[in-house]
């Protein structure tokens, strides 16, 4: 979820904290006394201001863990999403990797042999509690190294007033459940006819083009990988999905005045909250943004090419433990981190989805608060498909998609050619 929360991340210097005192930033984990071990943890900030910074959560977690585990101290550095991955990379390069990192990707470190596997770290109970699709996404060559921290899925958001005014739905704004792309196209045409500036926002700009692309690929019966987890970016289904976007959405002027390849997701979100967008794909953050501006909205699964059910896209952030000689201590801390009460405390604070079965069941049974609004996202989670995060090559492939996918859907674009070029480079970077 890194891309989603970069716009919320606190800027500037790291928020450094220690479970015992607020001093000692930059200390390297090690022995600090008579057989006392200090674990160094680096985490990302999910807050958008100092008042709701993730630093408070991690300090409370560290305090609680230390109380239950004498002899193990925990120091946590919290950095904004815009810098946390680079900070950890620099620490690893300098030979001072943290014991535990909560960041956006793990595959490079796993491939380099720098991480403990979950089997080496966690209790059987904790390891078995991860939701299956998230646990699978944390594997490299069948061994799990990435531990999913929090997750999210995507849904189609629509502005109830705009759709009602355009005659897409009744004035009571109830019961719209489009199943196919043909229904989506028809709704977008009505919105255009009613003067809506952007009937359907299609953000294929650099911020998160890889996510928007994957959603459409999945809805078209394809995806980035095949059943054997090899890259299938240029599959016939994927080509057809982008041809639909080029011909039916962009080609008919249904995606607004900004070229999709130049439209970032947050800009699309902001336009939705201003009442300028009829429909777009979104995640839970958009709920709060729209509510704050008084926009009445509905949420449904993204329609598919032929109306048949297809998996939604899921996204996860990751926790990993570096081989620093503190395997047992790191394992104890991670078991504590993934206790249901601690998982729930974090997901409720930031309106995110849990990565564990116990957390999922707790939210599924909720009858009040934001958990009720999150249920449509929650329902899609168990069968969702995630990025091929276990591939060391994925970071480069994702960047390639961000730079080039917008060209495929512009008038005169060549989806087959663009996807073939991306796929060829991906396969070269990931020989099987």
């Amino acid at each position: 979820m890194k891309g989603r929360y970069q716009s919320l991340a606190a800027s500037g210097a790291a928020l450094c904290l220690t479970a015992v005192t607020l001093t000692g930033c930059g200390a390297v984990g090690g022995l600090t006394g008579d057989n006392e071990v200090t674990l160094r943890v680096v985490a990302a900030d999910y807050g958008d201001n100092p008042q709701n910074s993730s630093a408070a959560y991690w300090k409370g977690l560290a305090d609680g863990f230390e109380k239950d585990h004498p002899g193990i101290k925990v120091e946590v550095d919290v950095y904004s999403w815009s810098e946390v991955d680079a900070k950890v990379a620099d620490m690893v390069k300098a030979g001072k990797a943290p014991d535990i990192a909560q960041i956006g990707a793990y595959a490079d470190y796993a491939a380099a042999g720098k991480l403990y596997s979950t089997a080496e770290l966690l209790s059987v109970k904790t390891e078995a509690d991860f939701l299956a699709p998230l646990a699978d996404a944390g594997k490299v060559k069948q061994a799990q190294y990435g531990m999913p921290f929090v997750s999210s899925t995507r849904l189609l958001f629509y502005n109830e007033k705009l759709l009602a005014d355009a005659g897409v739905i009744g004035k009571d704004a109830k019961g719209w459940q489009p199943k196919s792309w043909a229904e989506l196209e028809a709704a977008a045409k009505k919105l255009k006819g009613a003067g809506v500036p952007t009937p359907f926002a299609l953000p294929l700009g650099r911020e998160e083009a890889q996510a928007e692309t994957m959603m459409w690929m999945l809805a078209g019966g394809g995806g980035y990988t095949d059943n054997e987890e090899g890259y299938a970016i240029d599959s016939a289904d994927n080509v057809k999905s982008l041809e639909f976007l080029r011909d039916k959405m962009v080609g008919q002027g249904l995606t607004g005045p900004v070229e999709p390849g130049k439209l970032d997701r947050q800009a699309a979100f902001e336009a939705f909250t201003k009442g300028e967008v009829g429909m777009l794909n979104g995640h839970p953050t958009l709920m709060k943004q729209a509510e704050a501006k008084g926009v009445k909205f509905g949420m449904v699964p993204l329609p598919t090419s032929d109306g048949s059910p297809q998996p939604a896209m899921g996204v996860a952030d990751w926790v990993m433990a570096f081989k620093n000689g503190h395997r047992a201590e790191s394992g104890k801390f991670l078991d504590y981190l993934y206790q249901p009460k601690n998982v729930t405390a974090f997901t409720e604070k930031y309106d995110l989805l849990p990565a564990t079965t116990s957390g999922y069941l707790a939210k599924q049974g909720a009858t009040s608060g934001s958990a009720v609004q999150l249920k449509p996202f929650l329902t899609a989670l168990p069968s969702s498909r995630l990025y091929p995060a276990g591939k060391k090559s994925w970071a480069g492939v994702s960047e390639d998609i961000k730079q080039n996918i917008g060209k495929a859907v512009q008038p005169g674009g060549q989806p087959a050619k663009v996807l073939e070029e991306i796929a060829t480079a991906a396969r070269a970077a990931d020989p099987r």
Side-chain angles (χ1 to χ4, degrees):
M1 286 176 299
K2 172 183 174 183
R4 289 201 307 282
Y5 286 94
Q6 279 186 337
S7 61
L8 299 178
S11 60
L15 296 161
C16 184
L17 59 98
T18 305
V20 181
T21 68
L22 292 178
T23 61
C25 288
V28 178
L31 295 175
T32 59
D34 295 333
N35 298 320
E36 184 178 270
V37 169
T38 296
L39 293 178
R40 176 74 180 278
V41 179
V42 173
D45 194 356
Y46 289 75
D48 59 357
N49 60 67
Q51 284 67 47
N52 70 354
S53 168
S54 302
Y57 169 83
W58 286 102
K59 184 179 188 308
L61 189 81
D63 287 345
F65 175 80
E66 288 185 359
K67 183 177 179 181
D68 293 345
H69 299 82
I72 306 177
K73 300 297 181 183
V74 180
E75 296 180 352
V76 187
D77 290 341
V78 177
Y79 295 94
S80 74
W81 265 120
S82 63
E83 60 183 346
V84 66
D85 288 295
K87 288 286 186 181
V88 171
D90 289 343
M91 293 168 72
V92 173
K93 186 176 180 180
K96 298 179 179 180
D99 293 287
I100 294 168
Q102 184 269 299
I103 52 178
Y106 68 88
D108 283 3
Y109 302 123
K114 295 182 180 296
L115 303 180
Y116 291 116
S117 69
T118 56
E120 296 175 291
L121 293 163
L122 304 177
S123 67
V124 172
K125 181 180 179 180
T126 301
E127 190 175 16
D129 197 29
F130 293 124
L131 287 165
L134 305 183
D136 288 343
K139 293 179 179 179
V140 174
K141 296 181 178 178
Q142 307 306 312
Q144 185 180 350
Y145 296 93
M147 289 160 273
F149 181 57
V150 289
S151 62
S152 181
T153 52
R154 304 296 169 88
L155 294 173
L156 174 67
F157 282 67
Y158 62 89
N159 183 308
E160 292 181 350
K161 184 179 186 305
L162 294 182
L163 265 67
D165 290 347
V168 177
I169 58 178
K171 293 298 182 181
D172 60 359
K174 301 294 183 184
W176 193 54
Q177 292 287 336
K179 300 297 183 183
S180 69
W181 287 352
E183 293 176 79
L184 198 68
E185 177 191 350
K189 286 181 176 178
K190 287 186 176 180
L191 287 165
K192 181 181 180 182
V196 175
T198 302
F200 194 105
L202 184 65
L204 293 176
R206 285 189 50 80
E207 183 182 347
E208 247 193 340
Q210 82 285 0
E212 186 73 20
T213 300
M214 184 173 174
M215 282 183 269
W216 287 98
M217 286 180 170
L218 290 174
Y224 286 134
T225 56
D226 56 26
N227 291 334
E228 303 300 321
E229 293 306 312
Y231 280 118
I233 296 169
D234 56 348
S235 71
D237 285 332
N238 290 342
V239 172
K240 289 179 180 177
S241 295
L242 294 193
E243 286 177 342
F244 168 79
L245 293 177
R246 178 195 64 188
D247 298 337
K248 301 298 186 180
M249 302 301 286
V250 179
Q252 297 188 94
L254 303 180
T255 55
V258 181
E259 184 180 322
K262 297 179 180 178
L263 179 63
D264 282 337
R265 181 165 304 284
Q266 187 53 42
F269 281 11
E270 290 171 359
F272 184 79
T273 66
K274 294 176 182 176
E276 299 170 355
V277 172
M279 301 176 287
L280 80 170
N281 294 316
H283 49 70
T285 300
L286 183 55
M287 292 193 307
K288 281 191 171 182
Q289 294 180 2
E291 287 170 350
K293 294 295 181 68
V295 175
K296 300 294 184 182
F297 60 89
M299 301 180 297
V300 294
L302 176 64
T304 63
S305 57
D306 61 3
S308 62
Q310 297 291 349
M313 187 189 79
V315 185
D317 293 331
W318 302 98
V319 173
M320 62 216 70
F322 287 87
K323 291 181 176 179
N324 286 350
H326 297 152
R327 182 184 62 81
E329 295 85 358
S330 292
K332 290 178 181 178
F333 181 75
L334 291 167
D335 279 335
Y336 186 80
L337 170 66
Y338 284 104
Q339 286 182 11
K341 65 177 182 180
N342 295 325
V343 169
T344 299
F346 194 87
T347 56
E348 287 188 350
K349 183 177 178 67
Y350 296 105
D351 280 345
L352 296 169
L353 302 184
T356 59
T357 300
S358 58
Y360 174 85
L361 293 174
K363 278 196 178 292
Q364 196 176 48
T367 58
S368 62
S370 62
V372 175
Q373 282 187 304
L374 287 171
K375 282 189 177 181
F377 295 96
L378 199 65
T379 299
L381 185 58
S383 61
S384 64
R385 292 274 299 275
L386 281 76
Y387 298 135
K391 292 181 177 294
K392 183 180 178 180
S393 58
W394 171 241
V397 174
S398 176
E399 183 61 27
D400 200 357
I401 293 166
K402 290 178 182 180
Q403 290 183 7
N404 295 295
I405 206 68
K407 303 172 187 175
V409 302
Q410 63 190 20
Q414 298 178 281
K417 183 175 184 292
V418 172
L419 291 179
E420 182 183 9
E421 290 173 349
I422 295 172
T424 299
R427 293 183 185 118
D430 186 63
R432 296 182 60 93

